[in-house]
Every structure is written in C-alpha cells, then in structure tokens.
Amino acid sequence: MGALFCSGIISTGSYVPDNIVTNKDLENIVETTDEWIVTRTGIRERRIAHANMATSDMAVIAAKRAMKESGLAPEEIDLILVATVTPDNNVPSTACIVQYSIGAVNAAAFDINAACSGFIYGIITAKQFVATGTYENILVIGAECLSRFTDWKDRNTCVLFGDGAGAVVISRVDSEVGILSQYMGADGSGGELLKVEAGGSRKPASLETVEQGLHYFYMDGSEVFKFAVRIMASAAMEAVKLAGLTRECVDYLVPHQANIRIIEGARKRLNLTKDKVYVNLDRYGNMSAASIPVALDGAVREGLIKRGHNIVLVGFGGGLTWASALIKWAY
Ligand code: ACO
C-alpha cells in the first residue's frame, strides 16, 4: 500500500546539562591526555547530568522546546517515542514518564532501543504511523544519561560519552517535502562488541555483578570502529539512492557523533565539503540516541538547514544497528 500522507519534521528542540567536563578534567581521573582524546576522537568536552537529573528529565525539556516550536498543544500529540539505552527504569518506559510530565494525555508511548541508531529508528517508525493516517502528530525523542552507565575508571569508554536529549515533532507535510527515504539494519552477531552485561534477565544485578562493574558499558572500540566506518558511508549513500537522488543533491549531512574519523568517512562518501556536515561532538561527545536530534536542532537553530534542503541523517550503534534517512526539510 502506498503512503496516504507525507510526513516530515515540523519542529526541533534539545537540551544538554550545563555541567561541562573537559578532557583536562578527565586527565585527573584516568590515564589519558587531551591530545589522545582529540586526535583519536575529536572530542574536547562533554556535558554530564547533575545527580538529580535522569534521562526523562532531559527528554521532557527537549520535548517541551520542540512542542513550543510546533505550536501544538500536548493533547494534540498522538504518540511519543523515546529512543534510549539509558532509561530511567526498565518499567515504566521513559516514553510513559515523558507522556505524563508533558500532559500528552491522548498519546500512546513506548521506548525504542537501537542504541545510537535509535533516533532514526524512531523517526522511521513515526513515519509509518503518519503515512497510514493512524496518527497525525508524533513526538520522537532521543535521550541519554550515559554517565550513569559509564565506568569512570575505564579510559576506553569514559572519555567518549556525554548526556543530553533532542526531540522533533513529526506531522503531515506537503507532498513535495518530508521524509523521502529510510534505511534500517541490524546485525545481532555483533552484540557482544558493545553491551551492558548485567542488570537484565540473563545476569540480574547482584553484589558480584556490581563489584565487577558489569552494569557499565563495555565496548570493543576498534571492532566497533571498523564496522562504523564501513556502515556510516554505505548507509548514508543508501538513503540517497532510495530517495531516487544522487549525492550531488545532498545539501547537508547530520551524522551520529561518535568519532570525527568515522564522520569523515561518511562525508567523503557523499563527496561533501566540511561545511555541509554538522559536528558537535567536540562539545558534547557521543550522546548515543541523543546525538543526532541534538545536532539537528543545532543545525536548524544556526540557520544551516532551510525548507527544501535535502538532509541526510545517518547513524550506527550497539546491537549492532544502523539507520539512515533522507529528509527534504519542511520549514
Ligand atoms: N587515553 C589514552 N589511551 C587510550 C584511551 C584513552 N582515553 N583509550 C584507549 N587507549 C589506549 C588503549 O588502551 C590501547 O592501548 P594499547 O594499544 O596499549 O592496548 C590504545 O589506546 C587503543 O588504540 P586504538 O585501538 O588504535 O584506538 P583507536 O584509534 O581505535 O581509538 C576509539 C579508540 C576512539 C574508542 C575508537 O576505536 C572508536 O571511536 N571506536 C568506535 C566507538 C563508537 O563509535 N562507539 C559507538 C557506539 S556507542 C553506543 O552505542 C552507546
């Protein structure tokens, strides 16, 4: 069945905590240097949530900002999707906590776990509901409080992550704009490369798991890196092809913000100049599912994205997962 309605992003919003942790600060915690972190990743500093803040608190602020921009009332939201791997709780979902906090009393709500690809998985899911006419207005949020799942003694991971949230409202748009293509994939055989080992039904939290730090993120950085370089470039190109366009048609790239070297691979594959790629990982690090929506909001606010522009979103993450989309900007 073809789409009945075209869907697109009609507003964006984001939030990052005001607490800045620089590479120099990390030099005092683990054996690392500002020089190592900058040259290997491109990250200079990241935001870390204050102790009284959880993922949903950041999600709510980002959501309210996107809602305000859209002009929609909370009651007009039909569905809330929160992409996160760091939910407040296993139950209830973070999406339900957000639904209650913003007063979206008519909205269904659920979380999406696709790690750093989660936000794109979310907008693609939202598109299906709008396209079929099931829902009109959907809030898609990417929010993470990675610092709570970070082993601050592990230099392999603690230098990479940051906290934050970004949100968009997806609604019906004119037929000449909107989400033109989508591409998603997964390879569960790589699940061991990036995981939180304990705290689930396989290995419930116990004194031993806590002592061994198994409730923190573990990552095989170099294997994830090899996968990421390959998939970011090919997934970005796939979104362009599926939209029936060529790379010359791409106006702007908003990639997942994990590592500047990975972003460079995607940029070169699309043959874009550096000014056509949004980068904020120097300021925020890798915020997993929040990275792309925070970047998107930054690009909109800085006037880099305009109506009619062809924007490519691309991400990869734990699972392993990947996703991309080409959006002809609607406003
Ligand atoms: N400071 C100094 N040295 C370090 C640090 C650090 N912070 N971290 C690791 N090292 C050391 C290691 O111990 C290792 O030393 P050894 O060779 O003596 O054992 C060496 O540096 C590692 O070197 P490389 O593996 O060559 O480092 P690389 O260039 O691959 O960079 C990095 C590592 C930045 C982690 C990179 O592999 C990467 O970006 N991987 C992808 C990570 C990612 O994108 N994850 C996304 C998903 S996150 C999510 O889904 C929540």
Side-chain angles (χ1 to χ4, degrees), residues 23-43:
N23 291 349
K24 281 270 170 228
D25 295 330
L26 291 177
E27 286 181 3
N28 299 321
I29 301 174
V30 287
E31 186 145 350
T32 191
T33 59
D34 174 53
E35 199 258 335
W36 191 96
I37 302 171
V38 172
T39 52
R40 297 299 177 105
T41 71
I43 300 166

Side-chain angles (χ1 to χ4, degrees), residues 58-325:
M58 294 185 277
V60 164
I61 301 172
K64 283 184 174 168
R65 289 177 178 170
M67 295 274 302
K68 191 169 177 214
E69 195 98 340
S70 73
L72 293 170
E75 305 79 45
E76 293 176 276
I77 298 293
D78 302 308
L79 176 65
I80 298 172
L81 302 174
V82 175
T84 187
V85 285
T86 55
D88 290 23
N89 311 86
N90 275 338
V91 183
S93 69
T94 302
C96 280
I97 299 171
V98 172
Q99 187 251 14
Y100 178 59
S101 298
I102 66 171
V105 290
N106 297 313
F110 63 92
D111 286 358
I112 291 179
N113 179 336
C116 311
S117 315
F119 176 74
I120 303 180
Y121 267 59
I123 60 169
I124 292 170
T125 305
K127 177 185 171 176
Q128 314 311 311
F129 284 109
V130 174
T132 53
T134 311
Y135 293 134
E136 277 187 40
N137 303 310
I138 302 180
L139 197 51
V140 182
I141 304 167
E144 303 283 10
C145 198
L146 288 159
S147 59
R148 301 285 149 74
F149 297 83
T150 298
D151 182 350
W152 290 99
K153 295 192 190 85
D154 177 12
R155 69 177 182 175
N156 292 297
T157 52
C158 77
V159 304
L160 303 174
F161 300 134
D163 300 333
V168 298
V169 175
I170 293 191
S171 297
R172 291 178 190 173
V173 294
D174 312 337
S175 58
E176 67 269 19
V177 290
I179 303 165
L180 301 190
S181 72
Q182 63 272 325
Y183 175 62
M184 296 193 287
D187 178 5
S189 71
E192 294 294 312
L193 300 178
L194 214 172
K195 65 178 177 182
V196 176
E197 171 116 15
S201 60
R202 176 72 60 196
K203 201 172 275 185
S206 68
L207 207 52
E208 289 75 39
T209 61
V210 173
E211 274 169 4
Q212 290 168 37
L214 298 181
H215 51 294
Y216 294 130
F217 272 101
Y218 159 83
M219 184 174 69
D220 182 337
S222 62
E223 283 305 310
V224 174
F225 185 85
K226 282 184 227 157
F227 153 74
V229 169
R230 178 174 55 80
I231 207 73
M232 282 279 274
S234 63
M237 207 48 227
E238 201 60 32
V240 177
K241 281 192 219 146
L242 288 169
L245 301 174
T246 60
R247 60 186 188 171
E248 288 71 34
C249 306
V250 176
D251 295 298
Y252 210 72
L253 173 67
V254 181
H256 176 48
Q257 309 279 318
N259 188 313
I260 194 67
R261 294 181 289 152
I262 298 172
I263 291 174
E264 274 296 285
R267 180 184 75 77
K268 286 180 184 152
R269 183 78 176 82
L270 290 181
N271 202 25
L272 292 171
T273 51
K274 284 191 177 172
D275 60 319
K276 300 285 183 196
V277 182
Y278 197 80
V279 175
N280 65 8
L281 93 165
D282 51 330
R283 289 171 285 149
Y284 302 144
N286 177 354
M287 297 182 287
S288 188
S291 274
I292 291 175
V294 170
L296 201 51
D297 186 47
V300 169
R301 249 145 256 296
E302 289 165 40
L304 300 166
I305 293 180
K306 301 245 161 49
R307 182 178 163 90
H309 277 174
N310 290 319
I311 313 298
V312 171
L313 308 184
V314 62
F316 69 93
L320 299 166
T321 58
W322 57 92
S324 60

Side-chain angles (χ1 to χ4, degrees), residues 4-55:
L4 296 174
F5 300 101
C6 294
S7 58
I9 293 172
I10 63 157
S11 69
T12 65
S14 66
Y15 170 81
V16 290
D18 57 15
N19 177 32
I20 298 173
V21 174
T22 65
N23 291 349
K24 281 270 170 228
D25 295 330
L26 291 177
E27 286 181 3
N28 299 321
I29 301 174
V30 287
E31 186 145 350
T32 191
T33 59
D34 174 53
E35 199 258 335
W36 191 96
I37 302 171
V38 172
T39 52
R40 297 299 177 105
T41 71
I43 300 166
R44 294 180 184 278
E45 56 188 46
R46 68 286 293 143
R47 303 299 179 97
I48 301 298
H50 293 284
N52 63 351
M53 231 183 189
T55 297

